[in-house]
Amino acid sequence: MLFRSVANTPAKSALVDALIAARLIVSDENAEGQAVVRPAHEALLSRWPRARDIVSGNRNFLETRSRIQADARRWVSGNKNPELLLPPGMRLAEGEELLRSRGEEIDDQVSAYIAASSLAEQVRVDRERQAERARIEAAEAASRARLSMEAAAAKQLARRTRYAAFVALALAVMAGVGAIIGFRGQQEAGRQAELAESNA
């Protein structure tokens, strides 16, 4: 565990110094050259009831922090490749909870890793929302265009129907006029025949 994460106040620093002096914990450097502390003997964690209770109560936190620290180191050594960020779902939720609830107990590298993972997920979600919004707008535009075309087709059909009705009416009027003329012509022919008969 990083020295600065456990000795971040004067009182905690004095306690850590006292535990080191009592040889209950030892101070060392990790691969990055940072000061770390660890139990002097693993037996302390299993035989000292208070330490055992603390470890047991914090096991989930310690396992999660350890796993995310390893992921953060891989991310940094991989030139902060976005592919190495925490994946969405359970892993990212664990990291965000770790940062939110016990952020003072994790180092800056892990904090930056979790924050970058959260930001990448937020960007991904925003892009998906924009894409979905664009799909909805495109579908609405297509629907409006289809309705417009259907309205234009309906207007054209109504215009053709009116034209056909007008032509049918004109033909009916012409047929009626022709029938009247034919009927009058027949009557006139009948009169002419009667007149010719009476003259004969």
Side-chain angles (χ1 to χ4, degrees), residues 1-6 35-38 62 65 69:
M1 162 177 328
L2 285 175
F3 181 83
R4 67 178 173 193
S5 68
V6 292
V36 294
V37 291
R38 61 180 172 75
L62 295 171
R65 184 178 68 180
Q69 280 174 333

PDB file of all heavy atoms in Angstrom, residues 1-6 35-38 62 65 69:
ATOM      1  N   MET A   1       0.848  -1.158   0.000  1.00  0.00           N
ATOM      2  CA  MET A   1       0.000   0.000   0.000  1.00  0.00           C
ATOM      3  C   MET A   1       0.901   1.230   0.000  1.00  0.00           C
ATOM      4  O   MET A   1       1.915   1.255   0.677  1.00  0.00           O
ATOM      5  CB  MET A   1      -0.891  -0.144   1.229  1.00  0.00           C
ATOM      6  CG  MET A   1      -1.569   1.021   1.719  1.00  0.00           C
ATOM      7  SD  MET A   1      -2.671   0.688   3.141  1.00  0.00           S
ATOM      8  CE  MET A   1      -3.281  -0.953   2.921  1.00  0.00           C
ATOM      9  N   LEU A   2       0.531   2.228  -0.785  1.00  0.00           N
ATOM     10  CA  LEU A   2       1.363   3.427  -0.876  1.00  0.00           C
ATOM     11  C   LEU A   2       1.435   4.135   0.473  1.00  0.00           C
ATOM     12  O   LEU A   2       0.431   4.296   1.165  1.00  0.00           O
ATOM     13  CB  LEU A   2       0.799   4.394  -1.908  1.00  0.00           C
ATOM     14  CG  LEU A   2       1.010   4.022  -3.375  1.00  0.00           C
ATOM     15  CD1 LEU A   2       0.299   5.012  -4.270  1.00  0.00           C
ATOM     16  CD2 LEU A   2       2.472   3.974  -3.718  1.00  0.00           C
ATOM     17  N   PHE A   3       2.629   4.542   0.827  1.00  0.00           N
ATOM     18  CA  PHE A   3       2.860   5.235   2.102  1.00  0.00           C
ATOM     19  C   PHE A   3       2.000   6.481   2.195  1.00  0.00           C
ATOM     20  O   PHE A   3       1.346   6.727   3.200  1.00  0.00           O
ATOM     21  CB  PHE A   3       4.351   5.578   2.245  1.00  0.00           C
ATOM     22  CG  PHE A   3       4.681   6.264   3.550  1.00  0.00           C
ATOM     23  CD1 PHE A   3       4.884   5.521   4.691  1.00  0.00           C
ATOM     24  CD2 PHE A   3       4.771   7.653   3.619  1.00  0.00           C
ATOM     25  CE1 PHE A   3       5.179   6.153   5.895  1.00  0.00           C
ATOM     26  CE2 PHE A   3       5.061   8.288   4.805  1.00  0.00           C
ATOM     27  CZ  PHE A   3       5.264   7.532   5.960  1.00  0.00           C
ATOM     28  N   ARG A   4       1.960   7.267   1.094  1.00  0.00           N
ATOM     29  CA  ARG A   4       1.226   8.541   1.152  1.00  0.00           C
ATOM     30  C   ARG A   4      -0.277   8.328   1.280  1.00  0.00           C
ATOM     31  O   ARG A   4      -0.984   9.184   1.753  1.00  0.00           O
ATOM     32  CB  ARG A   4       1.548   9.401  -0.054  1.00  0.00           C
ATOM     33  CG  ARG A   4       1.037   8.840  -1.342  1.00  0.00           C
ATOM     34  CD  ARG A   4       1.333   9.737  -2.497  1.00  0.00           C
ATOM     35  NE  ARG A   4       0.943   9.031  -3.701  1.00  0.00           N
ATOM     36  CZ  ARG A   4       1.262   9.392  -4.885  1.00  0.00           C
ATOM     37  NH1 ARG A   4       1.999  10.459  -5.059  1.00  0.00           N
ATOM     38  NH2 ARG A   4       0.882   8.707  -5.929  1.00  0.00           N
ATOM     39  N   SER A   5      -0.782   7.139   0.865  1.00  0.00           N
ATOM     40  CA  SER A   5      -2.225   6.907   0.986  1.00  0.00           C
ATOM     41  C   SER A   5      -2.618   6.527   2.408  1.00  0.00           C
ATOM     42  O   SER A   5      -3.757   6.732   2.807  1.00  0.00           O
ATOM     43  CB  SER A   5      -2.689   5.835   0.002  1.00  0.00           C
ATOM     44  OG  SER A   5      -2.161   4.581   0.358  1.00  0.00           O
ATOM     45  N   VAL A   6      -1.685   5.947   3.194  1.00  0.00           N
ATOM     46  CA  VAL A   6      -2.016   5.605   4.576  1.00  0.00           C
ATOM     47  C   VAL A   6      -1.522   6.651   5.558  1.00  0.00           C
ATOM     48  O   VAL A   6      -2.001   6.721   6.684  1.00  0.00           O
ATOM     49  CB  VAL A   6      -1.451   4.212   4.968  1.00  0.00           C
ATOM     50  CG1 VAL A   6      -2.145   3.122   4.218  1.00  0.00           C
ATOM     51  CG2 VAL A   6       0.036   4.127   4.786  1.00  0.00           C
ATOM     52  N   ALA A  35       7.187   5.107  -2.196  1.00  0.00           N
ATOM     53  CA  ALA A  35       7.272   4.477  -0.876  1.00  0.00           C
ATOM     54  C   ALA A  35       5.989   3.711  -0.608  1.00  0.00           C
ATOM     55  O   ALA A  35       4.889   4.227  -0.794  1.00  0.00           O
ATOM     56  CB  ALA A  35       7.497   5.534   0.188  1.00  0.00           C
ATOM     57  N   VAL A  36       6.149   2.455  -0.193  1.00  0.00           N
ATOM     58  CA  VAL A  36       5.003   1.617   0.137  1.00  0.00           C
ATOM     59  C   VAL A  36       5.232   1.009   1.514  1.00  0.00           C
ATOM     60  O   VAL A  36       6.367   0.902   1.980  1.00  0.00           O
ATOM     61  CB  VAL A  36       4.778   0.501  -0.910  1.00  0.00           C
ATOM     62  CG1 VAL A  36       4.380   1.076  -2.245  1.00  0.00           C
ATOM     63  CG2 VAL A  36       5.993  -0.378  -1.056  1.00  0.00           C
ATOM     64  N   VAL A  37       4.126   0.617   2.155  1.00  0.00           N
ATOM     65  CA  VAL A  37       4.224  -0.091   3.431  1.00  0.00           C
ATOM     66  C   VAL A  37       3.450  -1.386   3.303  1.00  0.00           C
ATOM     67  O   VAL A  37       2.495  -1.478   2.549  1.00  0.00           O
ATOM     68  CB  VAL A  37       3.667   0.765   4.595  1.00  0.00           C
ATOM     69  CG1 VAL A  37       4.559   1.953   4.878  1.00  0.00           C
ATOM     70  CG2 VAL A  37       2.250   1.204   4.352  1.00  0.00           C
ATOM     71  N   ARG A  38       3.912  -2.387   4.050  1.00  0.00           N
ATOM     72  CA  ARG A  38       3.236  -3.683   4.058  1.00  0.00           C
ATOM     73  C   ARG A  38       3.464  -4.315   5.419  1.00  0.00           C
ATOM     74  O   ARG A  38       4.372  -3.928   6.151  1.00  0.00           O
ATOM     75  CB  ARG A  38       3.750  -4.572   2.928  1.00  0.00           C
ATOM     76  CG  ARG A  38       5.212  -4.881   3.001  1.00  0.00           C
ATOM     77  CD  ARG A  38       5.666  -5.768   1.838  1.00  0.00           C
ATOM     78  NE  ARG A  38       7.101  -5.882   1.828  1.00  0.00           N
ATOM     79  CZ  ARG A  38       7.822  -6.612   2.663  1.00  0.00           C
ATOM     80  NH1 ARG A  38       7.217  -7.296   3.605  1.00  0.00           N
ATOM     81  NH2 ARG A  38       9.133  -6.660   2.586  1.00  0.00           N
ATOM     82  N   LEU A  62     -10.064  -4.083  -0.927  1.00  0.00           N
ATOM     83  CA  LEU A  62      -8.646  -4.336  -1.209  1.00  0.00           C
ATOM     84  C   LEU A  62      -8.472  -5.101  -2.517  1.00  0.00           C
ATOM     85  O   LEU A  62      -7.581  -4.790  -3.313  1.00  0.00           O
ATOM     86  CB  LEU A  62      -8.004  -5.099  -0.042  1.00  0.00           C
ATOM     87  CG  LEU A  62      -7.930  -4.333   1.280  1.00  0.00           C
ATOM     88  CD1 LEU A  62      -7.480  -5.248   2.406  1.00  0.00           C
ATOM     89  CD2 LEU A  62      -7.030  -3.119   1.158  1.00  0.00           C
ATOM     90  N   ARG A  65      -9.369  -2.669  -5.388  1.00  0.00           N
ATOM     91  CA  ARG A  65      -8.303  -1.680  -5.554  1.00  0.00           C
ATOM     92  C   ARG A  65      -7.067  -2.316  -6.180  1.00  0.00           C
ATOM     93  O   ARG A  65      -6.462  -1.747  -7.091  1.00  0.00           O
ATOM     94  CB  ARG A  65      -7.943  -1.051  -4.215  1.00  0.00           C
ATOM     95  CG  ARG A  65      -6.902   0.063  -4.375  1.00  0.00           C
ATOM     96  CD  ARG A  65      -6.563   0.714  -3.086  1.00  0.00           C
ATOM     97  NE  ARG A  65      -5.853  -0.222  -2.226  1.00  0.00           N
ATOM     98  CZ  ARG A  65      -5.427   0.072  -1.009  1.00  0.00           C
ATOM     99  NH1 ARG A  65      -5.664   1.263  -0.503  1.00  0.00           N
ATOM    100  NH2 ARG A  65      -4.799  -0.816  -0.289  1.00  0.00           N
ATOM    101  N   GLN A  69      -5.597  -1.214  -9.684  1.00  0.00           N
ATOM    102  CA  GLN A  69      -4.217  -0.698  -9.714  1.00  0.00           C
ATOM    103  C   GLN A  69      -3.413  -1.411 -10.808  1.00  0.00           C
ATOM    104  O   GLN A  69      -2.669  -0.767 -11.551  1.00  0.00           O
ATOM    105  CB  GLN A  69      -3.529  -0.908  -8.350  1.00  0.00           C
ATOM    106  CG  GLN A  69      -3.907   0.114  -7.320  1.00  0.00           C
ATOM    107  CD  GLN A  69      -3.327  -0.196  -5.938  1.00  0.00           C
ATOM    108  OE1 GLN A  69      -3.069  -1.353  -5.611  1.00  0.00           O
ATOM    109  NE2 GLN A  69      -3.139   0.837  -5.141  1.00  0.00           N
TER     110      GLN A  69
END
